[in-house]
Amino acid sequence: MTRKVIITCAVTGAIHTPSMSPHLPITPSQIADEALAAREAGAAIVHLHARDPETGKPDQSPQAYEPFLGVIKQRSDVVINITTGGAPTMLVDERLGPAAVFKPEIASLNMGSMNFGIYPVLDKLKTFQHDWEEPYIEGSRDRVFRNTFADIESILTTCAGNGTRFEIECYDIGHLYTLAHFVQRGLVTPPFFVQSVFGVLGGIGAHPEDVQHMRRTADRLFGQDYQWSVLGAGKAQMAVALQSVLLGGHLRVGLEDSLYAGRGRLAQSNAEQVTLAREMVEHLGFEVATPDEAREILNLKGGDKVAF
Ligand code: KMH
Ligand code: ZN
């Protein structure tokens, strides 16, 4: 049987700001439309954050998610993944809110505290639509994205009680060992959906040797008990995705991770990146997974068991 590759699309995130691209989805209807188009283009999972519709600032209140979660669920079979990363400016209780309330099939889970630098973008970006953007970006010079053992445990125990499984975001080799620690304690059950993140300033790089080292280490620690996906930040996006497909893994694209579709060209939509990824997968002789195939591969509870 042809191997199925799961494409996740991270639709808007909390890293990019409105002044960086006019195509970044901001309002609930933009987020819903982009998620639905990403599904049509081949994504099996959408990874979602919410923003204030007026300013585009990341908003982790459950009320900010409600308007688009129901629309996406009614109009498609896509697997909905709600972030618990929120934004690096937020603490875990606030970040956990939407996943705790809406009990999605998947929630993200960040596996370590780290620097998360986006400030170099200020070398080029000089004009801003909203007051919050420049200090938010500049603030990343002196900010820790906090994910302590206690934070991780709090997310694990709250969500696991709801049957929510995890997109386990590992930005460095040490994060795989942190996952192994929680596996040993019985707080995470296989199949683990490991999302390796490459090219964030503060995490592992995006060199092919970094990708292979991550894969080899995960293989050694988790053997057959995990499904591997990757995301490359910024210009690393497609190169890292390609390597994952060649190494037997899945991939994530979307405007959360990169604003581009090709060198120096802003992506017009999330679906444009999903289409590029899908074509790459098919050219390599594989097929993209449907949402139901992704549910089976990742042992998800089903779209009818969420609380929205
Ligand atoms: N922005 C990505 C590099 C989360 O939402 O939990 C990581 C992310 C975090 O997706
Ligand atoms: Zn995210």
Side-chain angles (χ1 to χ4, degrees):
M1 206 179 86
T2 316
R3 185 165 71 83
K4 304 283 179 166
V5 176
I6 299 171
I7 298 181
T8 296
C9 180
V11 172
T12 186
I15 301 303
H16 296 130
T17 73
S19 299
M20 295 177 187
S21 171
H23 309 295
L24 189 67
I26 303 293
T27 66
S29 67
Q30 288 169 346
I31 291 170
D33 288 349
E34 286 279 313
L36 292 165
R39 160 68 187 110
E40 287 302 305
I45 303 173
V46 288
H47 166 115
L48 299 174
H49 294 238
R51 293 178 183 266
D52 178 320
E54 304 298 327
T55 65
K57 193 172 180 186
D59 183 345
Q60 196 66 2
S61 65
Q63 301 89 291
Y65 282 74
E66 198 164 22
F68 58 77
L69 289 179
V71 173
I72 299 169
K73 185 186 161 186
Q74 275 162 26
R75 298 205 193 142
S76 95
D77 59 349
V78 73
V79 177
I80 292 177
N81 168 352
I82 296 181
T83 180
T84 68
T89 47
M90 301 168 181
L91 295 181
V92 73
D93 285 349
E94 179 182 7
R95 286 164 36 188
L96 190 47
V101 169
F102 296 115
K103 305 178 174 44
E105 291 183 86
I106 306 182
S108 70
L109 176 63
N110 293 270
M111 291 311 276
S113 301
M114 60 185 291
N115 294 334
F116 201 123
I118 51 173
Y119 61 89
V121 82
L122 294 175
D123 293 344
K124 289 197 182 133
L125 187 68
K126 301 291 183 192
T127 54
F128 302 92
Q129 293 168 35
H130 305 286
D131 291 346
W132 66 273
E133 294 181 71
E134 190 177 9
Y136 183 77
I137 298 166
E138 174 58 30
S140 70
R141 196 188 294 273
D142 194 28
R143 183 186 292 141
V144 175
F145 180 32
R146 187 192 138 134
N147 296 287
T148 65
F149 291 105
D151 292 341
I152 294 168
E153 194 168 332
S154 157
I155 294 170
L156 275 172
T157 49
T158 303
C159 294
N162 297 329
T164 296
R165 294 183 59 78
F166 302 98
E167 177 198 17
I168 300 168
E169 307 217 22
C170 296
Y171 302 70
D172 225 324
I173 298 295
H175 296 181
L176 296 176
Y177 285 88
T178 298
L179 172 58
H181 164 76
F182 282 107
V183 171
Q184 199 179 23
R185 289 175 54 194
L187 288 172
V188 202
T189 53
F192 322 122
F193 184 32
V194 174
Q195 187 72 266
S196 294
V197 181
F198 298 92
V200 166
L201 181 58
I204 198 169
H207 190 278
E209 288 183 11
D210 295 322
V211 178
Q212 284 174 29
H213 183 39
M214 186 74 86
R215 178 59 155 161
R216 276 196 304 265
T217 308
D219 275 347
R220 174 163 51 78
L221 293 175
F222 309 122
Q224 299 296 311
D225 284 348
Y226 83 112
Q227 291 288 325
W228 190 53
S229 181
V230 305
L231 78 88
K235 61 180 187 299
Q237 186 178 58
M238 284 300 164
V240 166
L242 169 64
Q243 288 169 72
S244 177
V245 179
L246 295 176
L247 293 170
H250 309 285
L251 67 96
R252 172 170 134 175
V253 291
L255 300 191
E256 169 164 351
D257 303 335
S258 168
L259 294 171
Y260 291 88
R263 197 179 179 86
R265 200 170 60 76
L266 284 176
Q268 305 293 298
S269 67
N270 280 275
E272 186 180 358
Q273 289 182 351
V274 174
T275 300
L276 288 172
R278 181 192 186 121
E279 287 171 357
M280 177 185 75
V281 167
E282 291 174 351
H283 282 136
L284 290 170
F286 304 107
E287 289 176 12
V288 297
T290 65
D292 280 344
E293 287 166 343
R295 287 183 171 96
E296 200 178 318
I297 294 166
L298 301 175
N299 193 23
L300 304 180
K301 63 180 176 177
D304 55 341
K305 298 194 177 60
V306 299
F308 54 90

